Amino acid sequence: DAGVTQSPTHLIKTRGQHVTLRCSPISGHKSVSWYQQVLGQGPQFIFQYYEKEERGRGNFPDRFSARQFPNYSSELNVNALLLGDSALYLCASSRRDVSSYEQYFGPGTRLTVT
Amino acid sequence: QQQVKQSPQSLIVQKGGIPIINCAYENTAFDYFPWYQQFPGKGPALLIAIRPDVSEKKEGRFTISFNKSAKQFSLHIMDSQPGDSATYFCAEGYNKLIFGAGTRLAVHP
């Protein structure tokens, strides 16, 4: 079975620009979460979407937004990019059953803001 | 802000050794504690997870020990191999995972 896929793999943007990152969850998983991982640190939670609705939001500014589509894929959008937004952006999918909390991560999108 | 405190920051062992990574958590409301393994340039991979109703869980060479009263849990890697060299993260939570800062493990041949 295919794992979580993310695109693009790498991205270079200039300060002030906008970026869209994409994620496809594992087949059968209805929940997608986004995390930001700055070099040398653990991932930090940005958003969770389940059944196309936002179910959780981390401590990130309103420049960050996301959405989930009917096929459960998701997009993360970041506006007005800052140098500090340079990071590995990770998508994780889960079944989000009552009995299952496992989250499976994709390979990430490496965003560099210059 | 809720935190998971992970130690040590880095660890070097010889092949066959048993590295131990420790984590301390604050929020007793959570009942799911996973460990992830991350290689350079890759996303974190779920290694093993535990619920606080058990004190120990083993999967292959990986063991989690859980001490609910001390709010601590640890990862033991038995018979460590050079291929285990990676960064390990503990976490807590349900749908929103709170991660530790990571432990960089190097297993020397």
Side-chain angles (χ1 to χ4, degrees):
Chain A
D1 284 341
V4 177
T5 59
Q6 292 186 243
S7 64
T9 305
H10 296 91
L11 205 50
I12 299 174
K13 290 285 189 178
T14 304
R15 276 178 298 175
Q17 286 188 317
H18 163 90
V19 68
T20 297
L21 311 180
R22 294 177 175 83
C23 170
S24 291
I26 293 170
S27 177
H29 286 193
K30 298 182 178 181
S31 176
V32 168
S33 298
W34 287 94
Y35 292 80
Q36 180 196 65
Q37 186 177 25
V38 174
L39 197 62
Q41 297 182 19
Q44 278 202 295
F45 174 78
I46 309 175
F47 286 111
Q48 190 203 36
Y49 277 78
Y50 177 68
E51 290 285 14
K52 302 179 287 297
E53 290 188 10
E54 182 183 303
R55 299 303 180 109
R57 173 185 284 257
N59 188 22
F60 280 81
D62 292 343
R63 299 185 296 107
F64 288 76
S65 64
R67 55 178 176 167
Q68 187 177 33
F69 299 100
N71 67 351
Y72 303 109
S73 67
S74 178
E75 280 182 355
L76 175 69
N77 295 284
V78 187
N79 292 324
L81 285 167
L82 303 174
L83 295 178
D85 295 332
S86 295
L88 180 68
Y89 287 86
L90 296 161
C91 172
S93 79
S94 65
R95 286 166 42 197
R96 206 176 184 263
D97 289 345
V98 172
S99 60
S100 173
Y101 295 143
E102 286 88 359
Q103 293 193 29
Y104 299 93
F105 283 85
T109 294
R110 172 71 62 188
L111 173 64
T112 302
V113 182
T114 63
Chain B
Q1 174 139 1
Q2 297 164 0
Q3 290 185 25
V4 179
K5 295 181 180 178
Q6 184 172 347
S7 63
Q9 200 170 27
S10 63
L11 192 53
I12 300 173
V13 299
Q14 294 298 123
K15 177 183 174 183
I18 305 176
I20 301 173
I21 304 170
N22 301 297
C23 284
Y25 63 97
E26 297 179 351
N27 193 329
T28 57
F30 295 135
D31 68 351
Y32 176 67
F33 299 87
W35 284 89
Y36 284 84
Q37 178 190 58
Q38 187 175 30
F39 293 104
K42 305 291 185 183
L46 180 62
L47 205 54
I48 185 174
I50 196 168
R51 300 281 181 95
D53 53 347
V54 298
S55 60
E56 186 176 277
K57 182 176 181 180
K58 292 182 181 180
E59 284 188 7
R61 295 185 294 108
F62 301 94
T63 298
I64 300 179
S65 298
F66 193 91
N67 185 330
K68 190 173 181 179
S69 60
K71 295 194 288 185
Q72 294 177 346
F73 58 111
S74 59
L75 176 70
H76 302 229
I77 306 176
M78 306 302 176
D79 187 28
S80 59
Q81 302 296 313
D84 296 329
S85 298
T87 300
Y88 293 82
F89 294 96
C90 61
E92 65 163 354
Y94 304 124
N95 303 303
K96 166 188 174 181
L97 290 176
I98 300 168
F99 284 83
T103 297
R104 183 172 290 185
L105 172 66
V107 181
H108 290 177

